[in-house]
Amino acid sequence: MGKQGLSLGRDDIVQLKEAYKWITHPLFSEELGVPVDGKSLFEVSVIFAHPETDEDCHFLSTSCPDCFKPAKNKQSVFTRMAVVKALDKIKEEDFRKKFPCPPNSPKSFCSAVEIECAHGAVFVAGRYNKYSRNLPQTPWIIDGERKLESSVEELISSQLLTVFKAESFNFSSSGREDVDVRTLGNGRPFAVELVNPRRVQFTSRDIKELQQKINISSDKIQVRDLQLVTREAIGHMKEGEEVKTKTYSALVWTDKAIQKKDIEFLDDLKDLQINQKTPLRVLHRRPLAIRTRIIHTMETHYIDEHHFRLHLKTQAGTYIKEFVHGDFGRTKPNIGSLMDGTADILELDVESVDVDWPPALND
């Protein structure tokens, strides 16, 4: 091209897919009776085949062998990205030697072999309460064997999947509770990504009815503040993981007989700093480390000689069970060491997750 006096930059060359859009968009608009929106979440994917020119780019593999590496989910190494990468690396004179410029006119038409319609993901958020001490947050499967019949994730997402007519979903939340821990108060924030939904138009009334449907389906969970959100908004749920606070209620047992006065000193401890080595019970899925956490406040309620209720406000990420029983000395200090005895936790409830998202809705 240089010899012909043409100086074209990358931005001057129109990609074939863009030219195809220019031709087809007006046709789609006229046929369907709707305007074309280039930023729409609804996508139509068309795959063309043209056997005559299938091997036109194969010469690039000798110029850039590193660009064309087999991938498990790709039928051919000559993907669009690989070809673009190779074209960036090949010299113009080498390209001209291997490929005619301008290219030869094709003798046959291409054919559309696959047309697929898909919709971009839709996101639903809310807060859930968990009232069962025998329900995991996500499916509990060990070595391919399901341990419990359901989970918070499934009880919520199965209803959404059906109503939105989506292919699949991805569940996320602001932290998680153990299978035997209840989540009370205003609940725990969660979000569900619904992949390729067939239905996307919902009124606020529709969403409210969907929330009621979820709540009627099980007595183990309840959902509130259910609403449609954007992908970007979900970032608010994950913001401040280390600075947000959580409030808990624990039923504590002590080996020594106690009186009310024996536990009152705990009420006076403020912003207690503790060091927690990764608990034994999660060591199989968490790296070994020592994490410093803050117990902001504690409030005790005496029950009897061996039991008291402990309300705690802590830094997010604190292992509450281990703070009570000490985890064989891996959490220091702990309730047992502070009381100069042995303590254990019998019940634990999450009373609040202090994340101001998603926005509360009026019933």
Side-chain angles (χ1 to χ4, degrees):
M1 284 188 175
K3 293 180 179 179
Q4 298 177 22
L6 295 176
S7 179
L8 295 177
R10 181 184 296 273
D11 294 337
D12 298 318
I13 301 173
V14 177
Q15 293 188 27
L16 184 59
K17 67 174 184 177
E18 295 302 322
Y20 178 74
K21 289 179 183 178
W22 294 345
I23 296 170
T24 59
H25 278 184
L27 298 176
F28 280 130
S29 182
E30 182 179 354
E31 184 69 24
L32 299 175
V34 294
V36 173
D37 181 0
K39 296 182 180 180
S40 170
L41 291 176
F42 181 73
E43 298 178 352
V44 179
S45 173
V46 184
I47 298 177
F48 292 98
H50 193 239
E52 182 185 340
T53 55
D54 267 355
E55 298 182 2
D56 279 4
C57 61
H58 286 196
F59 73 93
L60 292 169
S61 62
T62 58
S63 304
C64 183
D66 291 340
C67 296
F68 302 95
K69 294 182 178 180
K72 290 182 180 179
N73 60 340
K74 301 292 184 182
Q75 294 181 350
S76 171
V77 297
F78 294 97
T79 63
R80 178 177 173 273
M81 293 302 296
V83 170
V84 170
K85 187 176 180 181
L87 287 173
D88 282 340
K89 292 191 174 185
I90 193 171
K91 295 180 179 179
E92 184 178 345
E93 54 267 29
D94 293 335
F95 181 84
R96 286 176 172 275
K97 291 177 184 177
K98 301 287 181 72
F99 194 80
C101 240
N104 299 322
S105 297
K107 299 176 181 179
S108 60
F109 290 103
C110 63
S111 58
V113 295
E114 185 178 336
I115 300 176
E116 182 178 299
C117 296
H119 197 285
V122 171
F123 299 86
V124 178
R127 285 176 172 264
Y128 73 79
N129 290 107
K130 171 176 167 296
Y131 301 120
S132 171
R133 295 196 187 277
N134 196 36
L135 183 70
Q137 187 194 65
T138 55
W140 195 1
I141 300 172
I142 300 177
D143 296 330
E145 181 182 350
R146 179 181 276 272
K147 297 300 181 181
L148 291 171
E149 64 178 17
S150 191
S151 64
V152 173
E153 172 188 300
E154 291 166 299
L155 290 173
I156 295 174
S157 300
S158 61
Q159 299 287 340
L160 298 177
L161 203 63
T162 300
V163 173
F164 280 80
K165 299 180 180 179
E167 285 185 359
S168 59
F169 68 86
N170 295 303
F171 182 92
S172 59
S173 64
S174 179
R176 58 187 300 142
E177 65 283 316
D178 290 339
V179 61
D180 59 347
V181 176
R182 298 186 302 177
T183 298
L184 308 177
N186 287 332
R188 185 185 298 278
F190 72 90
V192 180
E193 176 187 11
L194 294 152
V195 180
N196 193 18
R198 267 68 171 182
R199 181 187 174 191
V200 296
Q201 299 294 332
F202 289 87
T203 64
S204 57
R205 183 180 180 83
D206 292 334
I207 298 297
K208 188 173 183 179
E209 290 176 353
L210 177 54
Q211 176 175 295
Q212 292 172 345
K213 187 175 181 180
I214 294 172
N215 292 341
I216 292 172
S217 68
S218 174
D219 61 357
K220 295 181 178 180
I221 66 160
Q222 290 280 287
V223 168
R224 68 177 68 198
D225 298 332
L226 197 68
Q227 56 196 276
L228 293 169
V229 297
T230 63
R231 182 189 295 272
E232 292 73 25
I234 293 177
H236 295 303
M237 186 174 69
K238 296 297 183 181
E239 287 176 358
E241 283 289 333
E242 296 300 315
V243 297
K244 68 186 179 188
T245 59
K246 295 183 180 181
T247 306
Y248 300 88
S249 173
L251 179 59
V252 180
W253 169 87
T254 62
D255 64 330
K256 297 191 306 184
I258 58 171
Q259 299 298 320
K260 185 178 180 181
K261 60 181 178 61
D262 297 324
I263 59 175
E264 288 178 341
F265 77 97
L266 295 173
D267 298 356
D268 298 326
L269 297 177
K270 308 298 180 186
D271 295 328
L272 174 67
Q273 181 174 297
I274 65 172
N275 293 314
Q276 296 194 297
K277 188 178 289 186
T278 305
L280 294 172
R281 64 187 173 93
V282 300
L283 200 52
H284 64 286
R285 56 183 172 87
R286 294 283 174 85
L288 179 62
I290 296 177
R291 301 171 178 84
T292 300
R293 293 291 183 262
I294 304 296
I295 309 297
H296 295 294
T297 62
M298 287 185 279
E299 182 181 329
T300 58
H301 294 276
Y302 180 80
I303 298 176
D304 59 38
E305 288 185 337
H306 293 281
H307 302 89
F308 67 94
R309 178 70 64 178
L310 179 64
H311 296 276
L312 313 92
K313 186 171 185 177
T314 74
Q315 178 183 351
T318 304
Y319 292 106
I320 304 301
K321 292 178 178 178
E322 283 68 25
F323 172 61
V324 174
H325 60 61
D327 198 25
F328 300 99
R330 298 169 70 85
T331 290
K332 297 178 180 178
N334 55 71
I335 293 297
S337 66
L338 291 170
M339 296 183 63
D340 194 23
T342 299
D344 205 352
I345 187 165
L346 304 182
E347 290 179 354
L348 180 63
D349 294 327
V350 179
E351 294 194 327
S352 73
V353 179
D354 300 330
V355 177
D356 190 21
W357 189 90
L361 301 179
N362 295 324
D363 293 335

